[in-house]
Amino acid sequence: MSSAGSNANKSTLGALMLGALGVVYGDIGTSPLYALKETFGPGTGVTASAADVIGAVSAIIWLLTLVVTLKYVVLILRADNRGEGGIMALLALASSAVANRPRYKAAIFLIGCFGACLFFGESILTPAISVLSAVEGLEVVEPSLKPAIVPISIAILIGLFSIQRHGTALVGRFFGPIILVWFFVIGAVGLSQISGSPDILVALNPFYGLQFLIDRGPKLLLVVGALVLAVTGVETLYADMGHFGKKAIRYTWLFVAYPGLILNYLGQGALILQNPEAIENPFYLSFPEPLLIPAILLSTMATVIASQATISGAYSATQQAIQLGLLPRMRIVHTSIKEYGQIYIPFINNMLLIAVLLVTLAFGSSSALASAYGVSVTMTMMCSTLLTFFVVYAGWHFSFAVVLASTLFFFALDSLLVAGCLAKILHGGWFPLTLGLVILTLMTTWKRGRELLIHKIREDDPELESFIDSISNSGLPVTDRTAVYLVANSTTAPQALMHNIKHNMVLHKRNVIVTVVFEERPWVHFGERLKVESLGHNFWRVSVHYGFKNVPDVPRALELCKSHGLEINLFSASYFISRETIVPSTNGGMAKWREEIFASLSRNAGSVVSYFNIPTNQVIELGTRVMI
């Protein structure tokens, strides 16, 4: 390779690493603000004795090593779905791995969906706890400012959610450098504290962390529930793999984030060894007094970045869930013409803002929120562990004994972390769990309702090909135009076609029956986008295929029909769409209350016209009632 080429590759990797720092590591990078402080919180039984301080820091260091470095950076990042990561990509990968084993597929679906649902809880709690923990530094500077912490936090959060509609392209340019400075600063501050009490370095020995946990006795789970805060945000490493690649994410963790975090936790421990009263807020008290205000400002910027990453993640997870058939359509705004991943979903943004503000007001402090925060994080980690088992064993065909042993090790670790968080379920842990179950109910209801709807249409409507034969010699006038019928089921005659014949008494010269299919993979390239079948009598059946990360655009896809022998004048085409009104029944395929929920979701679903980028002035929408 030439020197120029080598330099270009290094430059590209460097840019990806800087971008990964800003997007991937904001959440886990700001954990030092509250993780060690909560470990010494009331009720955990952890004191400021040298043994407890060294043991607690050791436990955090080895939790970061086992969970983040070994499980995610070394192992789970290998489970990419054509370069993409995240719980939805892992769900699709696991489902494909057991495609011939239906009994596993239902369990995998529930595990993956529940993990995705818990992510929405994390998207609510991360902005609240991150911003609160940063602003709480004001109390260290001036105790009388404590009453202003919540109002200031709310103002920052409202501002953060208000700018989402404008996109993050401009702000995103500064995310990486700010987080790079953040890791450098917290590492340097930690190193300065270590120099004052080098005894803390024995915490690098895992024995001290293990002994610390054993000594907790009946309070073990309470301590674990606090320690887990050190790994919040770990799922982002996997979720954003498609944007930055494995190499950039691994390098930034191993050479920037991991050392910075280790040094800071060691530094906080060293400070407490020197000054036991520092357990009140070891992060901010690690800074010299003249640097406190700059530290608070830097922390606030870092937590806003951490919050932005989870908010953007919620948009992406919602879009993927919609395209996998788990949620109804919503209006999606693409905020950048250059970057695919930058989207904005108004409904999700508004719901998140309301939920975040309510949570901030209800809990009032980062310490109170810490009890709720860990549940969603640890249970999502457990879901990833279970899904990875199916991918590695059924998809990659690794030895069952090796896969089972590694899965049991990480599942046992995840179970301990989950149990630690559930021990505080009455103190806030119920919130993300309840939210996850509610969203899971909505997802499963929507998916089952769509299945029942398609079955009912297939049952009641005539077969497409026999219907075409029956009208071919009907003598109806034919207009020299193209009719495009968008349908969910391409084997039966579209309701819109039957209504058009009934009311307008006319046929079009070209009739195209279009079905949009979202596959369980991230991307479907243009060469695989279309399947075109001539049905005779001027009818064609077209299936348009997208991955769950593709942007659906039906008119653009139909331009490709020409290479398949079907030429469509898109400017004069009419798009006929059926709008089903769902009527719940007493003897349907779901409980009555679920049918009512499905009917409500269906009524409020976003327009298929905007979702598929169809010109509104070429659309004819016809309604029909369907009883499920």
Side-chain angles (χ1 to χ4, degrees), residues 348-432:
I348 295 297
N349 188 73
N350 294 338
M351 291 298 101
L352 284 179
L353 173 59
I354 293 169
V356 169
L357 294 182
L358 290 175
V359 162
T360 304
L361 288 169
F363 287 89
S365 70
S366 61
S367 295
L369 267 168
S371 299
Y373 195 27
V375 174
S376 57
V377 175
T378 54
M379 295 194 80
T380 304
M381 287 162 50
M382 181 180 282
C383 291
S384 294
T385 298
L386 293 172
L387 291 175
T388 304
F389 168 80
F390 291 102
V391 173
V392 177
Y393 175 60
W396 298 349
H397 308 294
F398 274 48
S399 163
F400 178 75
V402 172
V403 177
L404 182 64
S406 59
T407 301
L408 287 176
F409 172 76
F410 287 115
F411 187 77
L413 181 58
D414 292 339
S415 298
L416 177 63
L417 299 177
V418 169
C421 295
L422 290 179
K424 299 183 289 186
I425 194 166
L426 296 178
H427 301 283
W430 59 269
F431 174 76

Side-chain angles (χ1 to χ4, degrees), residues 45 60 72 97 102 111 132 158 167 172 207 260 282 309 395 404 421 458 506 563:
I60 287 177
Y72 279 86
I111 292 169
L132 273 171
I158 291 174
F207 168 78
L404 182 64
C421 295
R458 185 181 292 117
V506 67
S563 61

Side-chain angles (χ1 to χ4, degrees), residues 466-531:
S466 60
F467 181 78
I468 292 172
D469 290 337
S470 69
I471 63 171
S472 60
N473 298 314
S474 62
L476 290 170
V478 177
T479 179
D480 189 17
R481 294 175 67 88
T482 299
V484 178
Y485 296 92
L486 268 75
V487 297
N489 174 38
S490 63
T491 63
T492 57
Q495 286 278 340
L497 171 61
M498 293 188 289
H499 282 299
N500 186 38
I501 294 173
K502 178 181 177 181
H503 295 290
N504 298 323
M505 301 296 292
V506 67
L507 275 174
H508 288 68
K509 188 172 183 179
R510 285 166 298 279
N511 298 274
V512 186
I513 314 299
V514 176
T515 308
V516 177
V517 179
F518 288 101
E519 299 188 9
E520 291 183 341
R521 50 176 169 153
W523 310 100
V524 172
H525 298 291
F526 279 111
E528 306 169 280
R529 182 61 44 87
L530 286 186
K531 291 182 181 178

Side-chain angles (χ1 to χ4, degrees), residues 481-484 568-575 618-619:
R481 294 175 67 88
T482 299
V484 178
I568 302 173
N569 184 344
L570 294 175
F571 294 102
S572 62
S574 297
Y575 294 85
Q618 294 177 238
V619 173

